[in-house]
Amino acid sequence: RKPMAENQLSDADISRGCRQNSPRAWRQLVRGYTPLVYRIAFRILKDQSAAEDAAQEVFMTVHRAIESHDPTRPLAPWLARITYNGCLKRLDKTKRRSERELDVKQKTRRNAANHDESPEHHVHQKQMAQHIDHALDRLSAQDRGLIVMRYREGFSDSEISQATRMPVGT
């Protein structure tokens, strides 16, 4: 997904290194994929604290299950599957929390950093994001997870199929 820096390991090397308990491989796995895991978890759970906890649980699961990862396959769909399934289990065990939005101040600061766009554009972008988030809130956690993986994370249909173990046509 992102260009690899010279000193970064490939997914295959990360997977193999983690199997051998390489601190460098584990560090790169966690640092490189925490943002993806967190974003998926947050969009499914709709709670920052729960998403942070879920992300930690995902990496504990990964630590126990690294032997099951096929090093010839990309890590992102495998991690997305673990995240998706873990979040759905978490929702089955607990009620959804009322905190549903990212910190508005953080969004505002990010938008304000782009000086090339008018204030009207920022307001429009914020309103559109709120409409999309509101529509996502009305979906089931499972459907919300699928939409997030496809349109917010840019996963292909086959990657989503790998992550959810659903047929591509579904």
Side-chain angles (χ1 to χ4, degrees):
R1 293 193 184 277
K2 52 190 169 194
M4 225 171 39
E6 254 183 65
N7 61 349
Q8 285 191 330
L9 301 171
S10 68
D11 279 1
D13 291 336
I14 291 171
S15 183
R16 287 187 202 102
C18 288
R19 287 169 185 242
Q20 297 168 357
N21 280 326
S22 160
R24 177 180 177 214
W26 280 110
R27 193 170 33 256
Q28 192 168 327
L29 174 77
V30 172
R31 285 184 182 159
Y33 287 99
T34 293
L36 170 72
V37 168
Y38 175 80
R39 286 190 308 266
I40 293 171
F42 180 81
R43 288 296 176 184
I44 294 172
L45 299 172
K46 303 303 291 174
D47 180 83
Q48 184 177 358
S49 178
E52 290 169 356
D53 291 346
Q56 288 180 354
E57 289 174 12
V58 164
F59 287 105
M60 289 189 300
T61 300
V62 167
H63 189 266
R64 290 188 301 270
I66 193 66
E67 293 293 328
S68 69
H69 178 257
D70 177 356
T72 65
R73 315 255 340 178
L75 282 163
W78 185 70
L79 291 166
R81 179 177 67 238
I82 293 170
T83 306
Y84 177 79
N85 290 333
C87 289
L88 292 181
K89 285 179 188 174
R90 192 177 254 273
L91 286 175
D92 286 341
K93 291 178 184 176
T94 60
K95 292 181 180 181
R96 294 181 192 177
R97 300 212 173 136
S98 62
E99 299 170 7
R100 298 181 181 252
E101 299 287 328
L102 281 174
D103 183 0
V104 174
K105 290 179 185 177
Q106 184 180 17
K107 281 185 177 180
T108 305
R109 266 186 258 130
R110 220 176 329 159
N111 287 340
N114 189 345
H115 301 291
D116 296 337
E117 297 173 357
S118 70
E120 293 84 9
H121 179 77
H122 290 295
V123 170
H124 177 72
Q125 290 295 96
K126 184 177 178 182
Q127 288 173 340
M128 288 302 295
Q130 288 173 338
H131 288 302
I132 291 168
D133 287 343
H134 181 69
L136 283 172
D137 287 346
R138 289 189 273 170
L139 297 174
S140 69
Q142 181 178 14
D143 291 343
R144 190 168 51 244
L146 295 171
I147 296 295
V148 166
M149 281 188 267
R150 180 70 173 104
Y151 296 101
R152 295 239 168 134
E153 297 303 328
F155 280 35
S156 69
D157 291 345
S158 63
E159 289 173 324
I160 294 170
S161 176
Q162 289 173 13
T164 62
R165 295 193 173 160
M166 290 181 186
V168 173
T170 302

